[in-house]
Amino acid sequence: MARDTSDTTPITSVADLVERIAGGCKPKERWRIGTEHEKVGFRKFDHTPVPYEGPGGIRQLLEGMEGLLGWEPIEDQGRPIGLLDPTHGGAISLEPGGQFELSGAPLINLHQTATELQAHMMQVLEIATPLRIGFLALGASPIWTLPETPVMPKSRYAIMSDYMPTVGTRGLDMMFRTATVQVNLDFASEADMRRKMQVSIALQPIATALFANSPYLNGKATGRLSERSEIWRDTDNARAGMVPFVFEEGFGFERYVEWALDVPMYFIKRGDTYHRATDITFRQFMAGAFRNRLPGVEPTVGDWDNHLGTLFPEVRMKRYLEMRGADSGSTDHILALPAFWVGLLYDQTSLDAAWDLIKSWTAEERQRLRDDVPTLALKAKIAGRTVQDIGREVVALSRAGLARRAQLNRCGQDETQYLRPLDIILDRGKTEAEVLLEKFGGNLDGIFCALDMQPMGDLGCL
């Protein structure tokens, strides 16, 4: 998230919270695609992480991007921590360990997403190259320990860093050493949200397997193909995971709100100050639990929006749905993630077929699949079928959905082209992580050169 919100509209009831999320409903013609990705920076001359301050640091990179783009700076205690595009709504932000994130603008089709990503990579490299900064196309930083990883000067991260070790064993790894790609998608109604949420929760482990790309940590192979996904299994289970209540009879906006109300908060932001609130839930905040610490402070829409952004289920609901289950990777793979989900969720025929595929899976089967996928990826099984087999079926559904969308570029090509990286993975039966392990084994000397992110190839038809 680039900037915590500060909407001061007061909240007086649970109904206000439900209405806030329900206000995200949009007719199909207004549905958009918002793609976000993180990338792990490194110093090209010695393969060390990029600090915030100093020559060739993250601060210099941000300031260079500000000068190039003319975007508005986002500051925390007077230090730049991101940039906001005031015209189109995109943003650049910093994750806790210096991961450099693009939060893309809401766009109509995947061709626009490709153009946005290409422009971003070219702009970043224009500034980063003279600073001798590269970016790893991986879902986790492969060699640096936690003490070696820099800490970005964002006030919310100090609160999270103190809290994470009290609720799980891998929270600091998640914050400082992982990188993801996600897509944010709209819904038309509560019923449409329900079906999309159920399908995407059930299929999130399939996406995790297809995009598995983090087999290393601390300079060695971990024995898993998505260490990023494994890390999430013990980060903070009160706010993360497969949220099985999504499949309960009558699930809707109110049920999600009731769950979110009982998750501990991280902070309450007033002005430029973050007040620690990890010992209370939002429900307790609404009941006045913070008044003795900060007189006059009452819950606002901004507080609620910020709280929703600190929940980490496999699919997160705000006023849209966030698909959260994939490792970051090359630019082609970053594009494949929104293509996968847009084809499934933005076409009713494919969405219905995906529901038919997953509707008989039990909560226990879904959880077992989630637990198995970080290690087994395509070889994991559910309902007697491998993920590779299910992946073929699901990608075919996505391809059909994209074809029916018939969103063409200027050369007459539709959006199905962006699924090609997944076709390659499924045809060879190996994830990107397995290809890396075959190529490098435990010797990571060449990984920085091999996985230095670059813009895509010829995009002349966009």
Side-chain angles (χ1 to χ4, degrees):
M1 178 183 290
R3 173 185 286 172
D4 293 309
T5 63
S6 56
D7 187 328
T8 59
T9 304
I11 285 173
T12 60
S13 68
V14 172
D16 292 342
L17 307 181
V18 175
E19 182 180 351
R20 176 64 179 168
I21 295 180
C25 294
K26 298 179 180 68
K28 187 171 184 177
E29 60 270 18
R30 290 180 53 204
W31 291 355
R32 295 295 183 264
I33 304 164
T35 305
E36 305 181 25
H37 79 271
E38 302 161 0
K39 42 198 173 293
V40 177
F42 66 94
R43 291 182 180 273
K44 289 194 172 188
F45 52 89
D46 62 2
H47 301 163
T48 57
V50 184
Y52 178 78
E53 296 285 8
I58 293 288
R59 181 171 187 160
Q60 253 193 310
L61 177 61
L62 269 177
E63 290 171 344
M65 292 294 290
E66 179 188 350
L68 179 66
L69 300 173
W71 290 8
E72 294 179 358
I74 302 169
E75 295 186 346
D76 188 326
Q77 305 297 319
R79 291 168 296 197
I81 57 167
L83 300 169
L84 181 68
D85 178 357
T87 303
H88 302 104
I92 290 170
S93 59
L94 302 179
E95 290 300 302
Q99 305 96 314
F100 207 72
E101 178 177 6
L102 172 68
S103 297
L107 302 172
I108 294 172
N109 59 54
L110 294 165
H111 307 304
Q112 293 177 348
T113 302
T115 300
E116 176 187 63
L117 178 58
Q118 180 78 339
H120 170 75
M121 287 306 304
M122 294 178 71
Q123 291 156 355
V124 167
L125 293 179
E126 181 176 340
I127 305 301
T129 300
L131 298 176
R132 301 175 73 186
I133 296 174
F135 298 95
L136 279 170
L138 280 172
S141 61
I143 66 171
W144 313 310
T145 64
L146 270 172
E148 291 171 331
T149 303
V151 178
M152 297 298 105
K154 294 178 73 168
S155 300
R156 61 158 28 215
Y157 294 157
I159 294 172
M160 292 173 66
S161 294
D162 290 343
Y163 180 71
M164 283 295 183
T166 71
V167 290
T169 63
R170 306 298 302 273
L172 297 182
D173 285 331
M174 178 278 291
M175 290 178 62
F176 292 97
R177 299 203 286 177
T178 64
T180 188
V181 54
Q182 70 180 52
V183 62
N184 306 322
L185 299 174
D186 290 314
F187 44 78
S189 63
E190 186 170 50
D192 185 48
M193 176 282 297
R194 180 184 303 116
R195 182 62 77 236
K196 286 174 175 172
M197 190 80 167
Q198 291 168 338
V199 166
S200 55
I201 283 286
L203 292 180
Q204 209 63 222
I206 307 298
T208 298
L210 289 170
F211 290 89
N213 188 39
S214 52
Y216 299 109
L217 203 69
N218 295 323
K220 61 184 180 182
T222 65
R224 287 174 283 270
L225 302 176
S226 177
E227 187 65 24
R228 183 205 60 82
S229 183
E230 176 68 15
I231 284 167
W232 272 109
R233 293 182 64 230
D234 193 19
T235 288
D236 182 351
N237 290 329
R239 69 181 72 238
M242 292 289 282
V243 285
F245 63 82
V246 165
F247 294 87
E248 293 174 357
E249 187 72 25
F251 168 73
F253 296 128
E254 186 173 1
R255 179 66 181 88
Y256 191 86
V257 166
E258 290 291 341
W259 171 70
L261 277 168
D262 292 322
V263 175
M265 300 177 69
Y266 281 155
F267 60 83
I268 295 166
K269 185 173 184 285
R270 289 296 180 269
D272 293 330
T273 302
Y274 288 76
H275 302 272
R276 192 181 303 267
T278 53
D279 60 331
I280 64 170
T281 66
F282 204 92
R283 195 185 300 276
Q284 292 168 331
F285 179 34
M286 290 183 66
F290 211 72
R291 289 176 187 150
N292 62 334
R293 283 182 253 178
L294 212 59
V297 169
E298 300 293 339
T300 67
V301 167
D303 294 325
W304 177 242
D305 288 349
N306 290 337
H307 180 58
L308 289 179
T310 68
L311 309 181
F312 306 124
E314 294 289 302
V315 178
R316 178 162 62 192
M317 191 193 310
K318 296 180 181 175
R319 289 159 66 88
Y320 46 85
L321 299 179
E322 300 180 354
M323 309 296 120
R324 297 176 41 80
D327 290 356
S328 193
S330 68
T331 46
D332 288 346
H333 286 79
I334 288 171
L335 274 177
L337 188 278
F340 176 81
W341 288 114
V342 167
L344 286 173
L345 303 185
Y346 273 11
D347 174 78
Q348 192 63 47
T349 301
S350 290
L351 179 60
D352 290 343
W355 168 248
D356 287 340
L357 171 66
I358 64 94
K359 64 184 180 183
S360 64
W361 296 354
T362 67
E364 292 75 18
E365 287 175 324
R366 292 191 300 268
Q367 186 60 54
R368 190 179 309 114
L369 180 66
R370 169 65 185 88
D371 293 340
D372 289 347
V373 151
T375 300
L376 299 177
L378 300 178
K379 297 179 179 64
K381 290 184 177 181
I382 186 170
R385 302 176 65 191
T386 67
V387 168
Q388 184 178 2
D389 183 33
I390 296 169
R392 288 194 183 99
E393 183 174 349
V394 172
V395 170
L397 291 177
S398 178
R399 175 171 284 102
L402 293 175
R404 281 188 290 267
R405 272 169 54 84
Q407 294 280 331
L408 307 181
N409 62 21
R410 62 187 181 86
C411 293
Q413 299 167 328
D414 66 20
E415 298 168 307
T416 60
Q417 62 184 297
Y418 304 113
L419 292 174
R420 287 173 191 156
L422 301 185
D423 295 334
I424 293 170
I425 289 168
L426 289 166
D427 287 346
R428 74 188 177 201
K430 294 178 183 177
T431 62
E432 290 295 288
E434 288 165 289
V435 172
L436 288 175
L437 289 167
E438 288 180 356
K439 183 173 182 178
F440 294 102
N443 182 0
L444 303 187
D445 289 343
I447 202 166
F448 288 88
C449 180
L451 297 182
D452 191 359
M453 286 184 70
Q454 296 298 319
M456 292 166 285
D458 181 21
L459 296 180
C461 280
L462 292 177

